[in-house]
Amino acid sequence: MMVPFQPILRINKTVIFERMRVSNTSNMYHKVSEIFDECLANIENLIHYQAVYLIEDNLHKINYESLRDSEKVIYCFVTIGEDICTEINRIFDAKDYLKGYILNEIANEIVMDATDQLYFHIKNLVKKDDFNLSKRYSPGECSFDMSYQKTIFERLEKHFDIQASLTDAYMIYPEKSTLFVYGADKSFSDSAVDYDCSTCQSINCPYKRT
C-alpha cells in the first residue's frame, strides 16, 4: 500500500518556547514572543508538505531490532519543503540571528508535529487488521546506521516523486525533511507514542520528550 498524507499545520508556541528555554518570566520573553508572531505571519506561504508512506511485506529484512522479524515494514518520508529553509538562510545572512533561530525552531517543530500526525494515521490504519507499530526508527539516531536513509529513500522513490534528494553521505535535502521506518506486527504491543527517549544517550538533547 502506497499512500500520500496531508498533515495539518499546527504550531505549539508553548513547546517551542520550552525547547528554547524561554519562560514567561524571562527578560527576553516579550521580545522573543514579538518576533515569534512576526515569523508566523507568513509561515503558511513557506510550508509545503509532502508526507508519504509505503506499507510492504517485510521481504527485505532490515537487520535491526524489531524490524528483523516484523511481518510488515512501513517506509516514511516527511518534508516541509525548500522555501522555509531558504527563508531561514536569508535571515541569518542578514545577521538577524535571533529571528533566524526562532524561525528555525518553528520549522523543526512543524516537521516533528507532521511526523506525529503521520504516526497516528498509520497506527489507526494498521490497527484495523490487528497490527501494532514498532517505535520509529530514524537513520542516524541511536545505533540505526545512517546508510538506511538510502534504503528507505529508494523504496519510496519507486512509487512516489519524492521532493528531496540524498547526498553521498546520506544527508537529506531540503534540510527540513526526514526519513524513517516502522515495523508492523500482530505480536507488537500497542503504544501511545512512537519514540522512547529513555533509551537515547543524548542527555542534553533539546528535543528529548518524556
Side-chain angles (χ1 to χ4, degrees), residues 52-117:
V52 298
Y53 63 96
L54 173 67
I55 302 176
E56 292 187 325
D57 292 334
N58 191 9
L59 303 177
H60 302 280
K61 298 295 181 184
I62 295 176
N63 188 28
Y64 190 77
E65 293 191 2
S66 60
L67 295 174
R68 291 188 186 97
D69 301 314
S70 60
E71 184 175 337
K72 296 185 181 296
V73 64
I74 304 167
Y75 303 98
C76 303
F77 168 74
V78 171
T79 186
I80 59 174
E82 185 176 354
D83 286 356
I84 185 71
C85 301
T86 301
E87 179 65 6
I88 291 168
N89 290 334
R90 184 193 67 79
I91 293 170
F92 275 118
D93 287 344
K95 297 182 170 47
D96 193 348
Y97 299 119
L98 180 56
K99 185 174 183 179
Y101 169 62
I102 293 169
L103 184 58
N104 187 65
E105 287 301 317
I106 291 171
N108 289 339
E109 173 60 22
I110 292 171
V111 174
M112 293 175 68
D113 182 68
T115 62
D116 286 346
Q117 291 183 53

Side-chain angles (χ1 to χ4, degrees), residues 186-205:
K186 293 180 180 179
S187 68
F188 291 166
S189 299
D190 190 12
S191 177
V193 293
D194 65 340
Y195 54 88
D196 183 4
C197 289
S198 66
T199 64
C200 179
Q201 297 179 10
S202 181
I203 299 173
N204 297 316
C205 174

Side-chain angles (χ1 to χ4, degrees), residues 43-184:
I43 198 73
E44 290 188 13
N45 296 324
L46 297 173
I47 302 301
H48 307 291
Y49 286 112
Q50 185 184 31
V52 298
Y53 63 96
L54 173 67
I55 302 176
E56 292 187 325
D57 292 334
N58 191 9
L59 303 177
H60 302 280
K61 298 295 181 184
I62 295 176
N63 188 28
Y64 190 77
E65 293 191 2
S66 60
L67 295 174
R68 291 188 186 97
D69 301 314
S70 60
E71 184 175 337
K72 296 185 181 296
V73 64
I74 304 167
Y75 303 98
C76 303
F77 168 74
V78 171
T79 186
I80 59 174
E82 185 176 354
D83 286 356
I84 185 71
C85 301
T86 301
E87 179 65 6
I88 291 168
N89 290 334
R90 184 193 67 79
I91 293 170
F92 275 118
D93 287 344
K95 297 182 170 47
D96 193 348
Y97 299 119
L98 180 56
K99 185 174 183 179
Y101 169 62
I102 293 169
L103 184 58
N104 187 65
E105 287 301 317
I106 291 171
N108 289 339
E109 173 60 22
I110 292 171
V111 174
M112 293 175 68
D113 182 68
T115 62
D116 286 346
Q117 291 183 53
L118 183 58
Y119 166 68
F120 286 109
H121 173 77
I122 297 172
K123 175 184 175 180
N124 291 332
L125 180 66
V126 300
K127 188 170 282 294
K128 295 175 183 177
D129 295 318
D130 298 322
F131 284 88
N132 287 314
L133 297 180
S134 70
K135 70 178 184 180
R136 182 192 313 177
Y137 294 100
S138 300
E141 293 185 3
C142 298
S143 59
F144 193 39
D145 196 89
M146 192 70 172
S147 63
Y148 282 114
Q149 290 267 82
K150 184 177 180 181
T151 302
I152 300 168
F153 189 89
E154 288 181 345
R155 294 306 304 162
L156 290 167
E157 197 176 31
K158 290 180 181 295
H159 303 279
F160 300 98
D161 179 18
I162 300 298
Q163 303 300 303
S165 60
L166 288 181
T167 69
D168 291 341
Y170 310 116
M171 300 300 292
I172 194 165
Y173 179 87
E175 178 187 350
K176 303 305 181 186
S177 308
T178 183
L179 291 158
F180 52 100
V181 63
Y182 299 104

